[in-house]
Amino acid sequence: DYFVKNKKYNLKTFVYGSKLDGGSLIKKENIWYKFINTLRVFFLFVYEVIIFHPDIIHINTSFNRKGLLRDIPFSLFSFFFRSRLIFKLHGSSYDLIYTKSRLMKFLIKLFFSGARKVGVLSEIERKEFIKEFGHPEKMVVVKNIAVQIKPEGAGVSYFIREPGITYCLFVSRIIKG
């Protein structure tokens, strides 16, 4: 199991998501800005994965419509490039869990397709996800992974891999308070 394979970790943080939405800035983003920003962040993520080549990609997200649409490209990328992706869900939309919409069910299937594991906050939530979407082997109750305080800049060390160290890319929306 890649969660316990090594005792040492090299953790890199990749900040994603909107800086305005839910952040400290008051200005509203229009739909085009959100679309362009989402594409820009996705391509930066792809670049980061190519350069850092993590063993694990840990994405903190919410299971809601907005997070689902934003995170499907990350999931599909991980699926096609066989990356070890874990989604850590912080909060879930019960309307989405119990949706009857065929479109939303298809999007949820895409969301789960690239994840090797989906971390939830409780055993009750885990059972709800398994009941609605299956994949009991993917659903785990998991604690937060540690976050480094200051993201590192790209450097030569990303190309040198030491044996016995698990390389993890932590992808999250971080807002300074």
Side-chain angles (χ1 to χ4, degrees), residues 13-25 27 29 34 37 41 58-62 64 66-67 70-71 74 88 90 147 151 170-177:
T13 303
F14 177 84
V15 179
Y16 85 142
S18 173
K19 290 183 176 20
L20 299 176
D21 181 29
S24 59
L25 300 176
K27 182 176 145 189
E29 298 172 328
K34 287 181 183 183
N37 189 50
V41 169
H58 174 121
I59 297 180
N60 268 14
T61 190
S62 291
N64 58 31
K66 191 176 186 180
R70 179 193 60 224
D71 295 336
F74 297 95
K88 175 65 186 300
H90 290 275
V147 181
F170 179 81
V171 182
S172 184
R173 187 167 160 245
I174 301 172
I175 300 170
K176 293 182 180 180

Side-chain angles (χ1 to χ4, degrees), residues 159-177:
F159 300 101
I160 302 169
R161 299 186 57 85
E162 297 178 36
I165 295 179
T166 299
Y167 291 81
C168 181
L169 180 62
F170 179 81
V171 182
S172 184
R173 187 167 160 245
I174 301 172
I175 300 170
K176 293 182 180 180

Side-chain angles (χ1 to χ4, degrees), residues 46-112:
V46 169
Y47 171 80
E48 197 68 43
V49 170
I50 290 168
I51 297 299
F52 186 59
H53 191 67
D55 297 306
I56 302 169
I57 300 170
H58 174 121
I59 297 180
N60 268 14
T61 190
S62 291
F63 189 74
N64 58 31
R65 283 177 173 79
K66 191 176 186 180
L68 188 75
L69 292 173
R70 179 193 60 224
D71 295 336
I72 286 172
F74 297 95
S75 182
L76 292 176
F77 173 84
S78 296
F79 176 80
F80 289 121
F81 290 93
R82 299 179 185 189
S83 300
R84 292 180 174 144
L85 170 66
I86 177 170
F87 278 122
K88 175 65 186 300
L89 303 180
H90 290 275
S92 301
S93 166
Y94 281 96
D95 292 341
L96 190 57
I97 292 174
Y98 297 110
T99 185
K100 301 296 181 203
S101 164
R102 287 184 179 176
L103 174 63
M104 292 312 293
K105 285 186 178 198
F106 174 72
L107 293 175
I108 291 166
K109 187 175 182 177
L110 290 178
F111 175 81
F112 286 130

Side-chain angles (χ1 to χ4, degrees), residues 17-19 29-45 70 73-74:
S18 173
K19 290 183 176 20
E29 298 172 328
N30 66 43
I31 190 80
W32 292 111
Y33 178 83
K34 287 181 183 183
F35 178 74
I36 298 297
N37 189 50
T38 300
L39 282 177
R40 181 187 65 79
V41 169
F42 176 70
F43 287 118
L44 288 172
F45 167 80
R70 179 193 60 224
F74 297 95

